[in-house]
């Protein structure tokens, strides 16, 4: 890796020589500015190539980072407690455990679900047994109802075909017998009456005897008549009331048996459906709780955080701006929010540099422009980079102060990297905007401006001479002089005629 870097440095040495010279001049100029020795603050106008640079300090970061977050668990909105975390800066392997969150709340949920599952499964077994019992009971009830219907039908048929005709026949026989008896009694009375009328009685006892016989015959007739009328009335009552009532009872019993059978079919089906629905509900409840238990176990595993790749452990979200980052130390016992980044594992095989540039420099830059990067912690390392992205919108340099200067965020991709490089290191970026060829230039602090003209003070034998000049482009330290000054002329780096 080092040999490759050295070759790269040699290849870039010629290209960066002008930039290095400019940096030297900048450094020298700043050193002179810090000294209040006016006798030595002079500069001889130089002619040569002048690089126009934008120099800015940024931060080194991995091109790609893998963020390990506290899991977002549905139904659990509470914060999570960090039970253990690997030391920051540790090198870890893929799938290695790097942090553990409090598992007790979810474990309690799993234990509760397990107990509920056991209870629901026991209730399901009872319902299935109830189903078997109800099926047997339904078969028994249906068979009983069918037998009752069959018996009722047989009773109705028996009544219509046997009992009713028999009873009618008995009444008819009884009525006919009463009629015959009545007719015979009438006939006998008539005979006795005729005999009494035609017979001559010798003795009074004979007459009395005959009269007695006639009276007895009359009583027999009356009794026979009463019996006949009673039999006929009983027959009428049977035909008008008793027989219809008996038939109605038989028919009602038959219809009731039919309804009982239908009711038994309905209630049997309903009872089965009710038990089946309870079984389905139990099965759904069990399935739901099994799903919840399975997910809870998965969530339990998510509370053990593992490295997604091989790499270096860095606490929190390294890409989060400092004004949004939490100041709380990431340590055991810390409460973290669901979704909060706990650890960042950067991919150390590729790096970027993020820098901020002011509004005045934005128009000078565009994507794919090259720059030179120096890592402050590795002073001998010089890298080449390219602008990857420039933010479209400016933002306040101080997030809490909208009136602070506006800046744009720029990302540089590095063409190479070094194993000593680590995310978070400070990096100095120098962007060559333009190289002015064979120009005359002096330090910026030697030039003054008044109304619409620029001037400087030139050292002459007669003393300081105010010289009107025409200035051109500039960089951070030097400005091009188009007219009014010659190479080698000495200019003051302070105002020599300024009164104390």
């Amino acid at each position: 890796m080092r040999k490759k870097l050295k070759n790269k440095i040699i290849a870039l040495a010629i290209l960066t020589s002008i930039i290095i010279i400019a940096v030297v001049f900048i450094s020298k100029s700043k050193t002179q500015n810090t000294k209040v020795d006016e006798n030595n603050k002079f500069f001889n106008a130089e002619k040569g190539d002048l690089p126009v640079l934008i120099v800015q300090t940024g931060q080194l970061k991995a091109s790609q980072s893998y963020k390990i977050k506290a899991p977002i668990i549905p139904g659990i909105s509470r914060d999570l407690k960090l039970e253990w975390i690997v030391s920051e800066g540790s090198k870890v392997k893929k799938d290695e455990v790097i942090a553990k969150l409090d598992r007790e709340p979810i474990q309690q949920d799993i234990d509760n679900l397990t107990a509920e599952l056991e209870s629901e499964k026991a209730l399901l077994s009872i319902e299935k047994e109830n189903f078997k019992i109800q099926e047997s009971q339904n078969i028994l009830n249906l068979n009983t109802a069918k037998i009752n219907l069959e018996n009722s039908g047989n009773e109705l048929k028996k009544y219509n075909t046997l009992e009713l005709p028999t009873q009618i026949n008995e009444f008819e026989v009884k009525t006919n017998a009463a009629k015959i008896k009545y007719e015979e009694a009438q006939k006998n009375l008539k005979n006795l009456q005729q005999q009494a009328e035609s017979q001559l009685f010798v003795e009074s006892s004979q007459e009395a005897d005959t009269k007695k016989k006639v009276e007895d015959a009359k009583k027999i007739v009356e009794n026979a008549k009463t019996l006949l009328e009673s039999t006929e009335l009983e027959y009428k009552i049977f035909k008008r009331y008793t027989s219809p009532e008996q038939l109605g009872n038989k028919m009602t019993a038959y219809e009731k048996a039919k309804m009982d059978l239908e009711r038994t079919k309905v209630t049997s089906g309903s009872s089965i459906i009710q038990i089946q629905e309870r079984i389905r509900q139990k099965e759904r409840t069990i399935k739901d709780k099994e799903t919840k238990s399975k997910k809870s176990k998965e969530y339990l595993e998510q509370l053990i955080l593992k490295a997604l790749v091989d790499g270096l452990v860095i606490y929190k979200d390294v890409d989060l701006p400092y004004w949004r980052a939490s100041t709380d130390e990431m340590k055991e016992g810390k409460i973290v929010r669901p979704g909060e980044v706990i650890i960042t594992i950067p991919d150390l095989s590729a790096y970027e540099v993020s820098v901020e540039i002011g509004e005045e420099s934005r128009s000078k830059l565009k994507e794919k422009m090259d720059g030179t990067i120096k890592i402050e912690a590795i002073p001998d390392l010089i890298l080449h980079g390219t602008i990857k992205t420039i933010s479209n919108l400016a933002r306040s340099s101080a997030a809490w102060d909208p009136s602070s200067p506006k800046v744009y965020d720029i990302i540089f991709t590095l063409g190479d990297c070094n194993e000593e490089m680590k995310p978070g290191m400070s990096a100095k970026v120098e962007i060559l905007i333009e190289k002015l060829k064979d120009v005359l230039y002096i330090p910026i602090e030697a030039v003054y401006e008044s109304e619409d003209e620029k001037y400087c003070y030139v050292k002459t034998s007669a003393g300081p001479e105010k010289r009107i000049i025409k200035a051109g482009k500039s960089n951070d330290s030097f400005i091009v002089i188009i007219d009014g000054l010659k190479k080698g002329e000495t200019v003051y780096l302070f105002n020599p005629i300024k009164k104390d």
Side-chain angles (χ1 to χ4, degrees):
M1 178 67 77
R2 289 184 174 277
K3 185 176 181 181
K4 184 176 180 182
L5 282 172
K6 287 181 179 179
N7 292 335
K8 193 95 175 174
I9 292 169
I10 293 171
L12 293 172
I14 298 175
L15 295 176
T16 57
S17 59
I18 296 175
I19 298 173
I20 295 172
I21 293 171
V23 173
V24 171
F25 273 108
I26 294 170
S27 176
K28 183 184 291 184
S29 174
K30 290 182 178 179
T31 302
Q32 290 171 347
N33 284 336
T34 59
K35 296 178 181 178
V36 192
D37 184 1
E38 294 184 353
N39 295 324
N40 295 322
K41 295 194 74 173
F42 302 98
F43 184 85
N44 294 328
E46 293 280 348
K47 193 170 187 181
D49 296 341
L50 180 66
V52 179
L53 300 171
I54 291 179
V55 181
Q56 191 59 266
T57 299
Q59 190 177 58
L60 192 66
K61 67 175 187 176
S63 298
Q64 184 176 6
S65 296
Y66 298 87
K67 297 173 183 178
I68 313 300
K69 301 179 181 180
I72 299 174
I73 300 177
I76 298 181
S77 58
R78 58 180 174 266
D79 294 338
L80 302 167
K81 181 180 178 182
L82 188 62
E83 286 191 338
W84 173 84
I85 187 169
V86 69
S87 300
E88 188 171 25
S90 300
K91 290 185 178 181
V92 294
K93 297 290 184 181
K94 182 180 179 181
D95 294 328
E96 182 178 338
V97 176
I98 55 177
K100 294 179 181 179
L101 298 168
D102 185 14
R103 294 153 55 93
E104 184 176 352
I106 296 182
Q107 184 61 58
Q108 185 63 45
D109 290 343
I110 293 173
D111 293 341
N112 292 339
L113 285 169
T114 300
E116 291 171 6
L117 270 171
E118 291 177 356
S119 175
E120 293 294 338
K121 287 179 179 179
L123 292 174
L124 177 62
S125 298
I126 292 172
E127 290 294 350
K128 287 183 176 180
E129 288 299 320
N130 287 340
F131 180 80
K132 293 179 181 179
I133 294 171
Q134 190 62 52
E135 275 190 322
S136 300
Q137 185 63 49
N138 287 349
I139 293 172
L140 178 61
N141 292 342
L142 284 170
N143 289 336
T144 301
K146 287 177 181 178
I147 291 171
N148 289 339
L149 178 62
E150 185 178 356
N151 290 339
S152 298
N154 289 337
E155 287 294 320
L156 179 60
K157 184 178 180 181
K158 177 183 176 183
Y159 182 78
N160 283 327
T161 60
L162 182 61
E163 291 180 356
L164 180 60
T166 299
Q167 288 177 332
I168 291 173
N169 184 61
E170 288 176 351
F171 275 112
E172 288 178 348
V173 169
K174 188 176 180 181
T175 301
N176 289 334
K179 282 182 180 181
I180 293 171
K181 189 174 182 180
Y182 176 62
E183 289 173 354
E184 287 179 347
Q186 283 182 322
K187 187 178 180 181
N188 183 50
L189 175 61
K190 187 178 182 181
N191 289 335
L192 287 173
Q193 286 175 339
Q194 288 177 354
Q195 185 179 356
E197 289 176 358
S198 62
Q199 187 176 3
L200 295 175
F201 298 102
V202 178
E203 296 179 358
S204 58
S205 60
Q206 289 180 339
E207 184 179 2
D209 184 54
T210 300
K211 286 182 178 181
K212 183 178 182 305
K213 288 182 180 180
V214 170
E215 290 300 322
D216 289 340
K218 285 182 179 180
K219 289 180 180 180
I220 292 172
V221 169
E222 287 298 325
N223 291 336
K225 183 180 179 181
T226 301
L227 177 63
L228 177 60
E229 289 175 351
S230 173
T231 302
E232 287 178 342
L233 180 60
E234 186 179 357
Y235 188 27
K236 285 180 181 180
I237 292 173
F238 175 77
K239 288 193 294 182
R240 184 171 295 180
Y241 301 106
T242 307
S243 175
E245 183 180 359
Q246 290 177 344
L247 180 60
N249 290 339
K250 300 292 183 184
M251 292 181 68
T252 300
Y254 179 71
E255 292 300 324
K256 183 177 181 300
K258 284 175 65 176
M259 291 178 63
D260 287 345
L261 177 59
E262 292 303 318
R263 186 182 298 108
T264 301
K265 289 180 180 179
V266 172
T267 55
S268 297
S270 176
S271 62
I272 288 295
I273 289 172
Q274 288 175 5
I275 296 176
Q276 286 176 331
E277 179 59 27
R278 290 201 298 270
I279 289 174
R280 282 193 291 268
Q281 286 179 351
K282 292 296 179 187
E283 289 174 339
R284 284 195 295 267
T285 300
I286 289 171
K287 185 177 180 180
D288 181 57
K289 290 186 182 297
E290 286 177 339
T291 300
K292 287 182 179 178
S293 179
K294 181 180 178 182
K295 287 184 177 178
S296 293
K297 290 176 182 177
E298 291 174 356
Y299 297 148
L300 196 66
E301 291 300 316
Q302 292 178 25
L303 296 177
I304 299 177
L305 307 182
K306 297 181 180 180
L308 301 176
V309 292
D310 296 353
L312 189 71
V313 170
I314 299 176
Y315 288 169
K316 303 183 182 180
D317 188 350
V318 297
D319 295 324
L320 201 63
Y322 68 89
W323 63 85
R324 289 178 54 195
S326 170
T327 57
D328 294 341
E329 183 181 356
M330 192 64 69
K331 61 181 181 179
E332 296 173 7
K334 174 179 168 57
I335 302 301
V336 295
R337 302 182 307 277
E340 180 180 349
V341 175
I342 297 175
I343 289 174
T344 300
I345 301 179
D347 181 355
L348 304 181
S349 63
Y351 281 92
E352 296 176 343
V353 176
S354 61
V355 297
E356 300 173 356
I357 56 134
E359 287 184 297
E360 70 281 358
S361 301
R362 172 63 183 88
S363 61
K364 301 176 184 178
L365 301 176
K366 59 183 179 180
E367 293 181 2
K368 297 185 179 180
M369 288 185 68
D370 295 332
T372 301
I373 294 93
K374 296 179 180 179
I375 310 300
E376 293 186 8
I378 314 173
D380 295 333
L381 182 63
I382 299 176
L383 300 172
H384 175 71
T386 303
I387 296 178
K388 177 183 178 183
T389 59
I390 304 174
S391 60
N392 293 322
L393 300 176
R395 62 173 176 81
S396 298
S397 56
W400 59 88
D401 183 8
S403 64
S404 61
K406 302 297 181 182
V407 293
Y408 289 83
D409 294 311
I410 296 182
I411 300 295
F412 268 86
T413 56
L414 303 184
D416 204 349
C417 60
N418 183 287
E419 61 183 8
E420 296 181 24
M421 293 165 55
K422 295 293 183 290
M425 287 183 172
S426 296
K428 186 177 182 181
V429 178
E430 298 176 355
I431 308 168
L432 179 63
I433 303 302
E434 184 180 6
K435 185 181 288 186
L436 303 175
K437 296 287 187 179
D438 196 26
V439 293
L440 184 69
Y441 58 87
I442 61 175
I444 290 176
E445 59 262 39
V447 179
Y448 301 89
E449 187 172 358
S450 175
E451 295 180 353
D452 294 332
E453 62 181 14
K454 288 184 173 66
Y455 60 92
C456 66
Y457 291 99
V458 181
K459 184 179 181 182
T460 66
S461 58
E465 175 190 340
K466 181 179 179 181
R467 185 86 57 85
I468 304 299
I469 58 174
K470 183 178 180 182
K473 296 180 178 180
S474 65
N475 61 17
D476 288 349
S477 301
F478 300 94
I479 186 168
V480 174
I481 305 301
I482 298 174
D483 190 25
L485 199 63
K486 295 180 181 179
K487 178 182 179 181
E489 287 189 294
T490 302
V491 295
Y492 288 84
L493 299 181
F494 63 97
N495 190 339
I497 61 173
K498 183 179 180 180
K499 296 180 181 180
D500 295 335

